[in-house]
Amino acid sequence: MFSFLKKPYVFTSIISVLLTGFLAWSLLEVFVIPRAADPEAEYETLDLSKFPPATSPDVPGQSGGNTITLPPSFLPQDPSTGDPSGPTEDMGGDKVEYPIITDTSYKDEHISITLSTIRRYDSNIHVAEVILDSPTYLKTALAKDEFGQNIKEKTSEQAKRVGAILAINGDFYGANKEGYVIRNGTLYRDSIRSSRFEDLAILYDGSLFPFYEKDYTPRDLLHKYGAMQVLGFGPTLLKDGQLVVDTDTEVNIYHDKLGNPRTIIGIVEPGHYFFVVADGRTKESFGPTLYHMALVMQELGCDIAYNLDGGGSATLYFNGRVVNYPSTDGTYKERSVSDIVYIGY
């Protein structure tokens, strides 16, 4: 028996089988096997009562407060004069009844969303302009309402479950074991991820704040700066309205340095956002590079723009339907993901 095992080809075969099994298990553990976090874990939660109505000077990001001044275009227009009127005032003899919903728009007393599709860089790019009167309507959700590894659910399923009006896929945090995770003011994970890209914090006042994890502890982000959300993907595309990527910037994944489906969140000012999803990997839509997407977000007037999980995950949901064409190999297929960013109550 032992002499048989000593034969070189037998020993090599056994080692190969063991290594293959270990690799298969590692891949399953990282990408497939769902692992919910300890249900008894006590996560830290942001106490908003200690933050002032307006952003303090030492808080990073943009100025602003919990009360956002709406542009006149947010308010319903009197058709006879074009002047804005209050949400409960008569317009041409008719009282406004909210919500006002069409195939490409949604408007109520607090939320305004307008959808459009533009053609850039041989790609279909779906643009949702969002105007809010409070940052509290910008939220995130976890797949199946659970935090953990490889717990997944389609963007549309998550959106319908939480009553989202508009939603995009998030950062797919569950495919990784490391990296800060803060959702709706609760700190779930505090380990630092290995990445050359920044994270994105959405602060309590509605501003966006790109940062490197090595420079801030998650508890400072939560308790000192009032981070409601922390998303870890990247890269950041725009800062102060200027490009911070070039033609060589790409994520090191499938279709590297080629066109891909993309999901981007951008801000003009607190309360004024763009959720943008580009189709890719199809005959109709090649898929823009990150540099191209930075140019698109700059064209839209964004001050800050940040790249979320793209590829087959890229999904834009609006009012009960998926707006874009999710695809990995040219075939329509909505991927299950760990989390979403959404607008809703």
Side-chain angles (χ1 to χ4, degrees):
M1 176 67 178
F2 290 106
S3 60
F4 175 75
L5 292 177
K6 289 179 180 179
K7 293 181 179 180
Y9 70 88
V10 174
F11 182 77
T12 302
S13 299
I14 293 173
I15 293 299
S16 298
V17 169
L18 291 175
L19 288 175
T20 300
F22 177 77
L23 177 61
W25 170 256
S26 298
L27 291 173
L28 287 170
E29 183 182 32
V30 172
F31 297 108
V32 178
I33 300 173
R35 293 182 181 275
D38 182 358
E40 297 180 358
E42 293 185 5
Y43 300 116
E44 294 184 47
T45 302
L46 173 65
D47 180 8
L48 277 175
S49 65
K50 68 179 184 179
F51 287 92
T55 304
S56 300
D58 63 340
V59 174
Q62 298 163 310
S63 62
N66 285 312
T67 301
I68 295 172
T69 302
L70 299 177
S73 60
F74 177 85
L75 300 173
Q77 307 293 312
D78 184 327
S80 62
T81 64
D83 295 330
S85 58
T88 58
E89 294 180 4
D90 289 343
M91 289 171 50
D94 297 323
K95 190 173 183 180
V96 178
E97 294 186 4
Y98 287 127
I100 302 171
I101 303 174
T102 71
D103 287 342
T104 58
S105 66
Y106 174 96
K107 183 176 286 189
D108 65 21
E109 298 92 333
H110 308 291
I111 297 170
S112 174
I113 300 170
T114 304
L115 296 184
S116 60
T117 300
I118 61 177
R119 184 76 179 173
R120 299 287 189 278
Y121 311 109
D122 197 28
S123 306
N124 295 325
I125 300 175
H126 308 275
V127 178
E129 182 175 16
V130 178
I131 299 176
L132 311 174
D133 72 357
S134 168
T136 58
Y137 308 122
L138 173 54
K139 304 180 180 182
T140 58
L142 303 177
K144 301 180 181 179
D145 282 329
E146 287 187 86
F147 173 77
Q149 191 176 3
N150 296 318
I151 298 174
K152 297 179 287 187
E153 192 177 21
K154 292 178 180 179
T155 294
S156 60
E157 293 172 349
Q158 295 184 57
K160 290 175 182 177
R161 180 167 45 76
V162 299
I165 303 165
L166 176 77
I168 52 176
N169 60 289
D171 65 0
F172 215 144
Y173 79 87
N176 303 299
K177 293 183 177 181
E178 298 176 334
Y180 296 173
V181 178
I182 294 177
R183 296 293 189 270
N184 300 318
T186 298
L187 172 61
Y188 289 100
R189 192 168 67 196
D190 61 3
S191 57
I192 294 179
R193 69 179 178 133
S194 299
S195 174
R196 70 185 192 275
F197 296 143
E198 294 173 300
D199 285 10
L200 180 73
I202 304 175
L203 305 184
Y204 76 99
D205 65 354
S207 60
L208 303 189
F209 170 48
F211 70 95
Y212 287 104
E213 291 185 355
K214 65 181 178 61
D215 295 331
Y216 295 86
T217 70
R219 286 163 183 81
D220 276 349
L221 291 165
L222 187 72
H223 302 303
K224 183 177 180 181
Y225 300 123
M228 293 297 295
Q229 325 290 344
V230 168
L231 303 161
F233 203 86
T236 304
L237 306 181
L238 297 177
K239 286 184 181 180
D240 297 323
Q242 302 302 308
L243 275 68
V244 290
V245 293
D246 57 31
T247 55
D248 292 326
T249 306
E250 267 300 343
V251 292
N252 295 322
I253 57 172
Y254 182 61
H255 284 237
D256 186 34
K257 295 189 178 180
L258 293 177
N260 281 299
R262 309 285 184 181
T263 299
I264 313 293
I265 184 172
I267 185 172
V268 178
E269 59 184 355
H272 189 179
Y273 308 94
F274 281 96
F275 287 16
V276 179
V277 172
D279 289 334
R281 303 176 184 169
T282 70
K283 292 180 179 179
E284 295 77 20
S285 186
F286 177 74
T289 65
L290 289 175
Y291 180 75
H292 290 155
M293 288 307 301
L295 293 175
V296 169
M297 302 306 289
Q298 190 177 53
E299 178 185 342
L300 293 172
C302 290
D303 185 59
I304 292 173
Y306 185 82
N307 179 56
L308 294 169
D309 184 24
S313 300
T315 307
L316 177 64
Y317 168 97
F318 173 69
N319 198 32
R321 63 189 176 92
V322 174
V323 174
N324 70 308
Y325 191 94
S327 174
T328 298
D329 57 5
T331 303
Y332 182 96
K333 185 178 181 181
E334 188 183 351
R335 177 182 291 174
S336 293
V337 295
S338 297
D339 58 313
I340 62 172
V341 182
Y342 75 95
I343 304 296
Y345 290 96

